[in-house]
Amino acid sequence: MTTSTPRQDGNTARRRGTRALVIDAAVRLVASRGFSATSVDDIAAEAGVAKGSVYYNFTSKSDILEAALDEGTARLRAALSEARDAAPDAGRVDAMVRALLVAVHSYPDLAKLLAAEVFRAEREWQQSIAQLRAETISMFALEIRARRPGEDVSLVAAAVFGATLVAGLEWLVFQPDRTLDEVHASVRSLTSSL
């Protein structure tokens, strides 16, 4: 018996490719220039597509960033889950710290965007950032709570996430000559009691 997978028509594949180009271009530009200083024209030019193609795929500049944050949340959640599930119980927080550092290094523009936007409550995509933050921090909180039953670990989990994100950005921007192992060891020194 043979199974077949549904064939995608060329338009669907092309649209998916255009969406990815636009999202990547928007994240790059907003991470370097800021949201207000980035126009849809800039995004189209950076992506190498027509402005009409941007509007065919997205309703607005905010919609593009919403899509980027949704994809980033899914990627980060998967990376943290995989690292957590592969580690022994006592090493789960540390494995997630390392996975977060790898994610920051692999997707530096998204990490910069997240760090810049996480506390801006007036943005249209604040809900998406809040979701990314909540999901990520809750993964850390679940593992920390297993080691500290009865404690309110929400701030501890937020601190671990924040310290790891900032250490990853420090590594990218100011200390790129450091290795992943060095950066991980530095963060581990802060989280070793967890």
Side-chain angles (χ1 to χ4, degrees):
M1 171 188 259
T2 60
T3 59
S4 63
T5 56
R7 219 174 61 154
Q8 292 182 352
D9 66 25
N11 288 338
T12 303
R14 197 168 27 258
R15 182 169 186 218
R16 203 171 285 135
T18 300
R19 282 182 63 84
L21 289 171
V22 170
I23 288 170
D24 289 346
V27 169
R28 259 191 320 276
L29 291 174
V30 172
S32 67
R33 297 180 182 176
F35 181 76
S36 298
T38 302
S39 70
V40 172
D41 287 327
D42 296 334
I43 294 168
E46 179 77 11
V49 302
K51 185 176 179 179
S53 293
V54 174
Y55 283 115
Y56 179 77
N57 288 281
F58 301 97
T59 59
S60 65
K61 184 170 59 167
S62 293
D63 189 33
I64 299 167
L65 287 185
E66 286 278 354
L69 291 167
D70 288 346
E71 286 183 19
T73 299
R75 274 194 305 241
L76 185 55
R77 184 177 47 242
L80 293 177
S81 293
E82 184 179 315
R84 178 196 61 211
D85 295 347
D89 285 351
R92 287 182 164 186
V93 171
D94 188 53
M96 290 191 306
V97 163
R98 187 176 185 92
L100 181 53
L101 288 170
V102 168
V104 167
H105 198 265
S106 299
Y107 305 105
D109 293 328
L110 186 61
K112 289 175 191 174
L113 175 65
L114 177 61
E117 297 295 328
V118 74
F119 295 109
R120 292 190 178 168
E122 75 281 356
R123 301 289 200 197
E124 293 174 38
W125 57 85
Q126 188 58 35
Q127 181 83 19
S128 293
I129 288 181
Q131 179 183 346
L132 185 151
R133 188 183 157 281
E135 287 184 25
T136 306
I137 290 172
S138 69
M139 292 177 79
F140 281 101
L142 183 66
E143 294 306 321
I144 295 167
R145 192 172 292 113
R147 277 140 207 62
R148 296 181 173 190
E151 287 187 40
D152 177 3
V153 297
S154 60
L155 281 176
V156 175
V160 171
F161 173 75
T164 305
L165 179 61
V166 170
L169 291 170
E170 172 74 20
W171 175 31
L172 285 174
V173 177
F174 299 111
Q175 300 185 39
D177 54 318
R178 294 208 181 257
T179 67
L180 170 62
D181 289 336
E182 290 173 322
V183 178
H184 181 217
S186 294
V187 177
R188 185 186 302 128
S189 70
L190 296 172
T191 62
S192 62
S193 68
L194 305 175

